[in-house]
Amino acid sequence: MVGPVNIIVGSHVWIEDPGLAWIDGEVVKISGEEVHVQTTNGKTVVAKIANVFPKDTEAPPGGVDDMTKLSYLHEPGVLNNLAMRYELNEIYTYTGNILIAVNPFQRLPHLYDTHMMEQYKGAGFGELSPHVFAIAEVAYRAMINEGKSNSILVSGESGAGKTETTKMLMRYLAYLGGRSGVEGRTVEQQVLESNPVLEAFGNAKTLRNNNSSRFGKFVELQFDKSGRISGAAVRTYLLERSRVCQISDPERNYHCFYLLCAAPPEEREKFKLGDPKSYHYLNQSKCFKLDGVDDTEEYLATRRAMDVVGISEEEQDAIFRVVAAVLHLGNVEFAKGKEIDSSVLKDDKSRFHLDTTAELLRCDAKSLEDALIKRVMVTPEEVITRTLDPDSATGSRDALAKTIYSRLFDWLVDKINNSIGQDPNSKTIIGVLDIYGFESFKINSFEQFCINFTNEKLQQHFNQHVFKMEQEDYTKEEINWSYIEFVDNKDVLELIEKKPGGVIALLDEACMFPKSTHETFAQKLYQTFKNSKRFTKPKLSRTSFAISHYAGEVIYQADLFLDKNKDYVVAEHQDLLIASSDTFVAGLFPRLAEETSSKTKFSSIGSRFKLQLQSLMETLSSTEPHYIRCVKPNNVLKPAIFENVNVIQQLRCGGVLEAIRISCAGYPTKRTFYEFLNRFGVLAPEVLEGNYDDKVACRMLLDKIGLQGYELGKTKVFLRAGQMAELDTRRAEVLGNAARKIQMQIRTYIAQKEFRALRGAAIVLQSNCRGKLACKLYEEMRRQAAAVKIEKSFRRHVARESYLRIRHSAIAVQTALRGMVARNEFRYRKQMKAATIIQARLRSHLAHSYYKKLQKAALATQCGWRSRVARKELRTLKMAARDTGALREAKDKLEKRVEELTWRLQLEKRQRTDLEEAKAQEYAKQQEALQAMRLQVEEANAAVIREREAARKAIEEAPPVIKETPVLVEDTEKINSLTSEVEALKASLQSERQAAEDLRKAFSEAEARNSELATELENATRKADQLHESVQRLEEKLSNSESEIQVLRQQALAISPTSRTMSTRSKTMLLPRTPENGSHLNGETKTTPDMSLAVREPESEEKPQKYLNEKQQENQDLLVKCISQNLGYAGGKPVAACVIYKSLLHWRSFEVERTNVFDRIIQAIASAIEVPDNNEVLAYWLSNSATLLLLLQRTLKATGAASLTPQRRRTSSASLFGRMSQGLRASPQSAGLSFLNRQGVNKLDDMRQVEAKYPALLFKQQLTAFLEKIYGMIRDNLKKEISPLLGLCIQAPRTSRASLVKGRAQANAVAQQALIAHWQSIRKSLNAYLNLMKTNNAPPFLVRKIFTQIFSFINVQLFNSLLLRRECCSFSNGEYVKAGLAELEQWCVEATDEYAGSAWDELRHIRQAVGFLVIHQKPKKTLDEITRDLCPVLSIQQLYRISTMYWDDKYGTHSVSSDVIANMRVMMTEDSNNAVSSSFLLDDDSSIPFTVEDISKSMQQVDVNDIEPPQLIRENSGFGFLLTRKEGSAS
């Protein structure tokens, strides 16, 4: 990478920084070849212009998903893009067809669930966000379409996530090509489960990773012609054997050792194992446990995985027995013997571990001891046995341990391959390579040398592939290109593998000479490669050498190269283990005839590894490669930490920067014509204004600029390195000039505005001064006039004040005297009034206290009595509740309550009537007595008047002197008596009036009481109705339960060999209990007048249950033939369903034990819907099935339901509900006489409850299944029809080139019409289906369910596409989708709630997401506003995804603030800790969203009487009942 020269003052650039690798800043000064840069951290840095790289200021804040889209493809641009995406938890990024995966160091389950696999299945590369599934999808589709094998190479340093990435690749490939294998285990399951087995025995904790693979693995997945997995093979490379015996702190040995030490106690006792700290091979490090890992659980999981891959229990025990033997072998220690250079076991502890090792390996302990401390040398003359010193014996022990473990690992791999099985007929494979990355430590030995050699070979393959892909891109675009030079590592590979003269060849040569040492080997290397540029000798070292690899220089220590390269087994060890009595141990060391016959053959690890690597490269060369580069963002293994220096080093080691260099050697910048014109169109506006082709316009623009060396392909502009910066410089100049012009005009406008404001201010100031002087003159004149007025007013005021003072004194004296008199009077009256009030209050208090005492006593008495009654009733209820346990007893209790309430109602009615009659009679008596009293008073008055008249006449006629006194005395007495009598009559009249008034009051109180009783009566009536309904619901539930029981009983009888005899016996011995034949109780039958009929009925039904006569068979054939045609509808009711129902009801098919008419009807329906795409037929049968199911639901009743009801239930049903039907509203389902009288005979025949047998109940279940199937077919057909349109609706069309100059209005209008066309197509599909449903009279309930699920499907598809495709999360795209959703809303309005229902509410996710995209000022929105007001339905994961992927392609605004993003990330972390699902995608619900009960409740009652039979059966006499029923209903 060479820095560009198009750097000017003000340019934003990247400059090297020792701590951050690269840091951005702004150029403040240029001095020749040096630039002064003001960095973002406030420092000023001086650097050469060649080491400064331009920064793209218009790059999206969330980075780009493909780094080939970067305007500047250089090292800092790549690093910054990865850092920005990692900050947003976007761990995957493309570089062309290379996937870079940054380890998040946290679980992201939503990225790898099944739903995500479904999204990437069939998706094109680059269509969705970068993902490891996309690479696997490309490899799989390329294999299927081209028939060529593919390979996926996963590389990276330890801890970068290679193993996890490989697991995800194999999971996805197993998802695509899964198929059942042998013994119920699938091949893909065995491949996936081989991972934990190999990890347990081949992975270990290192400094950089807790689960580092210490071997290379290449998994071959073999596929058949149909693309299904037919076999697999696992190839492993270079297991790190030295780790078995030697580890450093804080690393760990292989996992299997720790897992076995954490096994269940019985397992440990069997292998005589204890704490891992007590074993030499494990306690060299202080790390024994891993955070968050339970070794016991991992041990059990490993055993389960072994079961899956086909390792038997015996083999598993043998495997772990060998592992335990290695641990015990490591604890065998040696001490000096009596002889020189001899050794013996150190102590009893060593003896114990030696014996235990021999026991576990099933070999002789003495032979094992001799094999460790003795060597046998065979010479022509004699056989010499020599002993080893303690150090040599320890080396022999470690060599045996490494050999045993290596052979065990190889056996495991072979066993897995044999268990999985390979397909010899497979022609295509997909290989997944998980191999160690480039390693460079403080101490690098033979393992690092082999690992880096492998990476050199892979890097050569990678460079060739990248170069090839670059050339293919140029060829595809048909541009002129010359040979591109790129850095090749061929010289390094020759230095290592050249034969003869390479490092490996020299190492093998040194190993074959017994006297060779590491020093002689190092000196040989120094002499051989002293002129090589790639090989250097470090200073102050005699055994180290350095090789300059593609990723950097690595210093190797040659001290152990010779020992680690030797690949032979000590003869004593071989003989010992071959002689083992355990076939498993002996099988690890097979005796080869070649080895036994020839002792001179030499084998080395390096040569064998070289051959393996050569075979691997041949395999990779024969396949189409795909690359995944795994990157470890930090060394502390924690999330949200991105170390630039660490990452840039890995990018260099992984060859990513090498690929960038190759790209930069050609045309690193590639832009489509549209993107190029959109960015650089300002350099030549006249080109955009013309009506030119995009390619012609680009050529004219580049020619005008004078750029040389570019190329124009079919769809893209190819620019050389540095040309993009030059174009950006010129664009910045044009935009800068335009900005200066705008500034000039604005400054002119501001100056003119300031001048006008200054002149206006001067005029206003002059006007204010003149006005001020005039005001002062006017104020002086006004003050003089005011002084005269003040003097006049003051004199008048003094005179008036004197007069008023005198007058006020006089009035005050008069007022005081009058007030004294008034106060005396007031005080007297006040005292009198107070005395009166006190007397009144005292009397009132005494009366009120007396009343309150009486009232309190009455209330206490009433409360005590009521509480006593309530407690008594509560005890009764509790006792009843404890005794009540079954549903039938609850029904009895409810019926008792209903009967009691009815009786109480009737009693209250009678009491009310009697009370009213008694009151009326009493009132009549009172009226009569009052009338009689009135007559008596009138007669008495008349007698008094007559007496007075007679007395007056007598006085007038009598002599005045003689008779004056007697007459006066007599008349006076008479008058007095009459007067007293009159007074008595008046008193009696007054008492009678008082009694009448009391009667009136009593009558009004009685009327109020009557109204209260009437209200209570209404409440009791309502409560009785509710209880009645509850009883009916309980009866229905009981009936349904009995139906299910009956079906299960019939199925059991059908399976049982004695079912026929049992059913026959039950017909002859048991009598079904029905309302016509009475009830059974304790085995006794209550006989009714219809008993004989009920007993004869089973006998008469035996023949129709077994056989159908020929006439019935003909009628059934005719019915099936009739319903196979489209019979249409009559009055909105499907004719076929009504004819089927009436025919079955007339033939009594529901009540027979055996019949085939139901099967024939079901077969007719099945044959009619065989074509799944014929929506007309599906809608027709949807309507018929729903109607027929509704009729069956309201008619059929399970056999035996009546027999389960208690005796009193029948009596109360016939009597209580019969009586209630007269006074209260009767239930239409009650089986009483009132129902018969009210409905009529014909109505009863059609809607009567039928005791259904097993075939009828089975027919109902089959019909329900067909209804659900037809519903699902119609729904899925509509989904298939709109799915392609939804893919077009989510992506907004691009604006034309004219919008870049002439504005966006017209272009947007055209684009809007193009987008709305797709939405209108969806509307047309919805309308077509809606009209089809209406034409076929489909139930609105089912139509609502269909469209509700369709809108839910639209919501899921659009929302998931929005979250998976970053180009869809833009402002303009949100506007387009919002306009399309408005079309759907309009459709819902037109369809009305009857058919649309809550369909619009199903779009809530996409509506809120689109609403979030199109709102302005997103950075000002708080998280609370977003979650509560804007998007309450969306989860925090979904909001985070939208917020981080959003980009404004219209106004250039930003997404939400960084604080909101941080808060979202915290909440997501809390959700992951609380085990809350973190998936941001929605799932499509394809279940059936209704039940038979829902249909029964939602559909109206169907009257089948007025249906005219079809022409085909109208003339047939066997269907005369259809015509009779119609005529009867018409008459």
Side-chain angles (χ1 to χ4, degrees), residues 200 240 254 303 401 411 507 581 601 690 700 726 745 907 924 955 966 1046 1060 1111 1162 1208 1233 1237 1311 1426:
E240 187 181 358
Y254 290 107
R303 294 294 290 254
W411 183 92
L507 180 61
S581 61
K601 185 174 181 180
M700 293 174 63
E726 182 178 352
Q745 295 294 331
L907 179 61
I955 292 170
Q1046 182 66 17
R1060 189 183 304 274
K1111 183 63 177 176
I1162 290 296
R1208 193 171 49 78
L1233 293 176
N1237 297 333
I1426 295 174

Side-chain angles (χ1 to χ4, degrees), residues 785-806:
V788 174
K789 287 184 179 181
I790 290 173
E791 291 176 352
K792 178 179 66 176
S793 298
F794 179 74
R795 294 187 183 101
R796 184 179 61 186
H797 173 71
V798 171
R800 182 172 176 78
E801 284 292 325
S802 177
Y803 166 74
L804 290 177
R805 193 180 301 110
I806 297 171

